[in-house]
Amino acid sequence: MAAQNRKLLTSESVTGGHPDKLCDQISDAVLDAIMAKDPQGRVACECCCTTGVVWIMGEISTSCYVDIPKIARQVIIEAGYDSPAMGFDGHTCAVLAAIDEQSPDIALGVDKSLEDKTSGDCGEADCSANADTTGGSPAGGGAGDQGLMFGYACDETPELMPLPIALAHALARQLTKLREEGTLPYLRPDGKSQVTVEYDENDRPVRVDTVVVSTQHAAEISLETIRADVIEKVIRPIIPAHLLDEETTYYVNPTGRFVVGGPVGDSGLTGRKLIVDTYGGAARHGGGSFSGKDPTKVDRSAAYAARHAAKNIVAAGLARRCEIQLAYAIGVAHPVSVRCDTFGTGILPDAQLGALVAGVFDLRPTAIINAFDLRRPIYRQLAALGHVGRTDIDLPWERLDRVEALKAAGV
């Protein structure tokens, strides 16, 4: 393929020791602790960290008590920051918390949707606008906020994810594995990966063009050793050999040194790795973060539902690529819009596929929560290495349980 006609897509991932991902994990660990004791708890927990200190803030309404500083320290230690030698130590760092209750104005719409409030006691025009369309059952709680969410799937990998982000996550996972197992004991918790994939004229991946791995390390280890080990033990075992060639470029710690890392090297913040959490830039993102939010927040639950719909569309053979957009109004149960984009790969018009999604999937927040059993402590395990496309854990939004229904409805 001529150089000027090459189509490249790049995605990145980070390890659990990256400062932003450390904050995501703390936020979701607090959420998990509350979900374990009070499944109806309302949680919007954010975190930031820098040298020697972690701040935890947000709005939480719950009937239980959880020890937030203890939870934060446990996450930090388990991420690998367990001694002064790491530059950040969960045993001794300061942990500050500033927590308030959820706004009662938000709770009004989350506890009972507009549809249920107006059912039976509104004017004819209002009732027709708000009537439930799923068999007359109560709409349940409304969306916790307005906003738009995206889900995506494609046939590039068995898990129906874009190849660049799948490879980037696998590299980050391998870095962590080699550190935790002691295979490369000089590795430190902070690390990043990036993969550039070349596509042909049919948008099929054909080769890996560039691989970037940056890993925090002990001060005494040479760049030559790190480069040789990373290529041999991280990159080559993960990226299929047929995707690598003599023109593939490798950058390993390209600055030449990465000793100062973690919160000492860069501040961290919950929700600052949204593209890492999802599709690596291959699809749009609505802008709302996932971590630290209970499932009444559609930023999280509806994004999972959109992935579920897109993945089942692709698995059903209705499209090679599918992106679903959902949008909600605060306090309203039904999405205000459902949009399907198959980028010209669908066997049916996109508008028809969008109607199929709206008919096959119940996209009201309460229905999503119930279908995926989201009021349980499952979230910290998602806070690093992606919320979608996971094969190492059983996630309900990754199940292909609507394929036959979509096929039948699309006939």
Side-chain angles (χ1 to χ4, degrees):
M1 185 183 296
Q4 63 269 26
N5 294 325
R6 294 195 308 160
K7 292 187 287 186
L8 303 175
L9 177 64
T10 301
S11 297
E12 73 160 348
S13 183
V14 298
T15 65
H18 185 282
D20 293 332
K21 278 291 145 201
L22 194 64
C23 290
D24 284 343
Q25 291 173 89
I26 292 171
S27 294
D28 274 336
V30 171
L31 172 61
D32 276 356
I34 292 172
M35 288 291 102
K37 295 182 177 181
D38 176 17
Q40 300 299 320
R42 301 282 169 78
V43 181
C45 179
E46 296 179 286
C47 177
C48 61
C49 64
T50 188
T51 304
V53 63
V54 172
W55 288 274
I56 302 165
M57 65 212 84
E59 295 77 45
I60 297 176
S61 296
T62 180
S63 61
C64 71
Y65 170 78
V66 297
D67 190 335
I68 290 178
K70 182 177 179 180
I71 292 168
R73 293 186 189 281
Q74 181 179 355
V75 170
I76 295 164
I77 292 166
E78 291 178 358
Y81 296 109
D82 56 1
S83 72
M86 299 297 172
F88 195 78
D89 186 357
H91 296 100
T92 58
C93 68
V95 179
L96 308 176
I99 304 295
D100 206 345
E101 293 184 341
Q102 182 186 60
S103 163
D105 297 340
I106 295 175
L108 284 173
V110 177
D111 294 338
K112 190 173 185 180
S113 67
L114 178 65
E115 291 93 326
D116 284 344
K117 291 175 183 175
T118 57
S119 176
D121 91 299
C122 55
E124 184 176 347
D126 287 337
C127 282
S128 64
N130 295 317
D132 188 87
T133 59
T134 55
S137 62
D145 201 353
Q146 71 176 47
L148 50 142
M149 304 85 209
F150 289 92
Y152 180 79
C154 62
D155 63 358
E156 296 177 17
T157 64
E159 62 269 32
L160 303 185
M161 285 287 285
L163 182 60
I165 188 65
L167 293 176
H169 281 325
L171 291 173
R173 185 177 290 109
Q174 181 75 349
L175 268 179
T176 300
K177 177 183 176 183
L178 296 176
R179 176 182 62 81
E180 291 180 343
E181 292 180 348
T183 304
L184 298 179
Y186 60 80
L187 295 181
R188 297 296 181 256
D190 196 357
K192 303 180 77 171
S193 61
Q194 183 172 286
V195 179
T196 301
V197 173
E198 182 176 333
Y199 290 76
D200 65 16
E201 62 275 7
N202 297 313
D203 288 322
R204 297 290 190 183
V206 293
R207 60 182 293 273
V208 169
D209 184 78
T210 307
V211 182
V212 183
V213 175
S214 296
T215 179
Q216 185 186 12
H217 59 89
E220 67 273 12
I221 306 300
S222 70
L223 176 61
E224 291 74 18
T225 297
I226 297 169
R227 177 180 171 84
D229 284 345
V230 166
I231 291 175
E232 177 188 353
K233 294 182 171 65
V234 178
I235 296 174
R236 294 199 182 279
I238 294 300
I239 298 183
H242 73 274
L243 294 175
L244 301 172
D245 57 34
E246 64 278 2
E247 295 184 0
T248 300
T249 301
Y250 304 96
Y251 294 107
V252 178
N253 282 16
T255 68
R257 182 178 170 88
F258 187 3
V259 173
V260 178
V264 177
D266 189 12
S267 62
L269 183 66
T270 298
R272 199 159 56 183
K273 286 290 177 285
L274 306 183
I275 301 305
V276 172
D277 287 340
T278 53
Y279 308 101
R284 299 173 179 92
H285 196 291
S289 71
F290 302 157
S291 290
K293 295 179 179 178
D294 76 77
T296 66
K297 279 72 172 176
V298 283
D299 280 336
R300 170 166 239 156
S301 53
Y304 296 163
R307 162 64 178 175
H308 186 227
K311 186 175 183 181
N312 277 265
I313 287 279
V314 173
L318 299 177
R320 280 179 45 209
R321 299 168 59 199
C322 181
E323 181 184 81
I324 302 295
Q325 185 202 53
L326 306 176
Y328 292 82
I330 188 169
V332 180
H334 292 91
V336 299
S337 69
V338 179
R339 180 180 186 271
C340 178
D341 188 348
T342 63
F343 309 93
T345 70
I347 66 172
L348 298 172
D350 285 349
Q352 187 174 343
L353 287 173
L356 282 181
V357 169
V360 171
F361 298 87
D362 191 339
L363 299 170
R364 299 172 298 171
T366 298
I368 295 169
I369 290 169
N370 292 338
F372 294 159
D373 192 14
L374 294 180
R375 296 189 184 278
R376 55 193 173 108
I378 61 171
Y379 298 106
R380 181 185 167 188
Q381 63 186 337
L382 304 173
L385 303 176
H387 291 247
V388 292
R390 299 289 291 268
T391 59
D392 55 324
I393 47 181
D394 180 23
L395 300 176
W397 51 93
E398 294 296 318
R399 296 172 187 164
L400 301 177
D401 53 3
R402 303 297 176 87
V403 169
E404 296 306 317
L406 287 166
K407 287 180 178 178
V411 172

